[in-house]
Amino acid sequence: MSFVIAAPEIPAAAGVQILMIGLAGFGAGAINALVGSGTLITFPTLVAIGYPPVTSTMSNTIGLVAGHMSGSWGYRAELHGQWHRLRWQIPASLTGAALGALLLLHMPENVFGKVVPALLVLALLLVAIGPGIQSWARRRAERAGDSVERITTGRMAALVLGTFGVGLYGGYFTAAQGILLVGLMGAVLPESVQRMNAAKNVLGLVVNLVAAFGYTLVACDRISWPVAGAIAVGSLLGGSLGARYGRRLSPKALRAMIIVVGLIGLFRLLMV
């Protein structure tokens, strides 16, 4: 069944709303560079303002591309020596994201409205247990050191398959894909957390680029471009500053903010 739902117009009080969305984009860009859960700020913000879930997801995904770019650039030094793996992970992310975007585009909006609360709960749980995942990954990296060991065929296959699965999830609903990637890489790679975070930023950029291209190509009328633009400006600045200064911030405070905003968005979705 085909359907077309135009993106809503920006209301009369556009200035205040654009400012709110831009600030949410700034926070999302900074958090994406560090943790990888920025959508849990921007998506609930858009839903709380009154945008439909699918429009919110598409506009948010397009806007956050800029933040992923600046965050990836900020971590460019940590990417040195990882391209022999990323040449396999990037195609896996690309393929998974394309399939996830297709699922979003071809599922009726009422189905998405029923599925997204469950995905949001999952993402919030991932944020809540994120410190445990990252501590486990850190202990594993500390035992192995920062040297890059030869990865067996089985571990590489698991890494690529897992990257595809996270890309599929990210193409459909981008929240917390970064935490999933760090957990996955920590399970199979002898790398430091910072180097895994750098790889996570690049793979997240790939997923958002693919999804954004797909949405623009086949569902341009369902995107709110003023919203996407406000998020892009905010996330570009946030991603740059997050990559530069984020190690000085309290991870607990960031996660608490994400969970609170996410719960507000979840409540709003359930009340629709």
Side-chain angles (χ1 to χ4, degrees), residues 10-239:
I10 296 294
V16 174
Q17 292 194 352
I18 287 294
L19 179 60
M20 289 174 57
I21 293 168
L23 289 174
F26 177 86
I31 290 172
N32 274 340
L34 297 169
V35 181
S37 309
T39 293
L40 292 184
I41 288 182
T42 45
F43 179 78
T45 298
L46 296 179
V47 172
I49 288 174
Y51 290 94
V54 172
T55 295
S56 298
T57 294
M58 292 182 182
S59 306
N60 174 65
T61 299
I62 291 171
L64 287 181
V65 167
H68 280 290
M69 287 181 173
S70 60
S72 297
W73 178 254
Y75 273 90
R76 62 192 180 278
E78 287 81 2
L79 289 170
H80 180 72
Q82 298 199 66
W83 293 105
H84 67 290
R85 284 194 315 272
L86 287 171
R87 67 178 180 176
W88 296 101
Q89 287 184 273
I90 287 174
S93 282
L94 191 153
T95 307
L99 182 56
L102 284 174
L103 287 175
L104 177 63
L105 290 169
H106 288 87
M107 289 177 66
E109 185 157 355
N110 62 338
V111 173
F112 182 83
K114 294 176 181 177
V115 171
V116 73
L119 294 176
L120 190 52
V121 169
L122 173 61
L124 290 172
L125 287 174
L126 289 171
V127 171
I129 66 175
I133 293 175
Q134 294 185 358
S135 294
W136 171 71
R138 187 178 296 110
R139 290 194 299 271
R140 190 181 166 86
E142 288 172 352
R143 288 196 298 268
D146 285 338
S147 61
V148 181
E149 298 177 353
R150 181 180 179 276
I151 303 175
T152 64
T153 302
R155 289 168 67 189
M156 178 60 79
L159 178 66
V160 172
L161 183 60
T163 301
F164 170 81
V166 176
L168 176 65
Y169 168 86
Y172 187 80
F173 185 58
T174 57
Q177 62 173 316
I179 292 178
L180 285 171
L181 281 168
V182 170
L184 168 68
M185 290 187 287
V188 297
L189 298 180
E191 290 283 9
S192 69
V193 173
Q194 288 297 338
R195 284 171 61 80
M196 289 189 292
N197 196 47
K200 173 266 293 179
N201 285 339
V202 170
L203 296 172
L205 171 60
V206 170
V207 170
N208 271 55
L209 273 173
V210 171
F213 177 77
Y215 300 156
T216 303
L217 187 65
V218 303
C220 186
D221 58 338
R222 302 177 68 186
I223 298 164
S224 175
W225 292 104
V227 166
I231 292 175
V233 172
S235 68
L236 182 68
L237 297 174

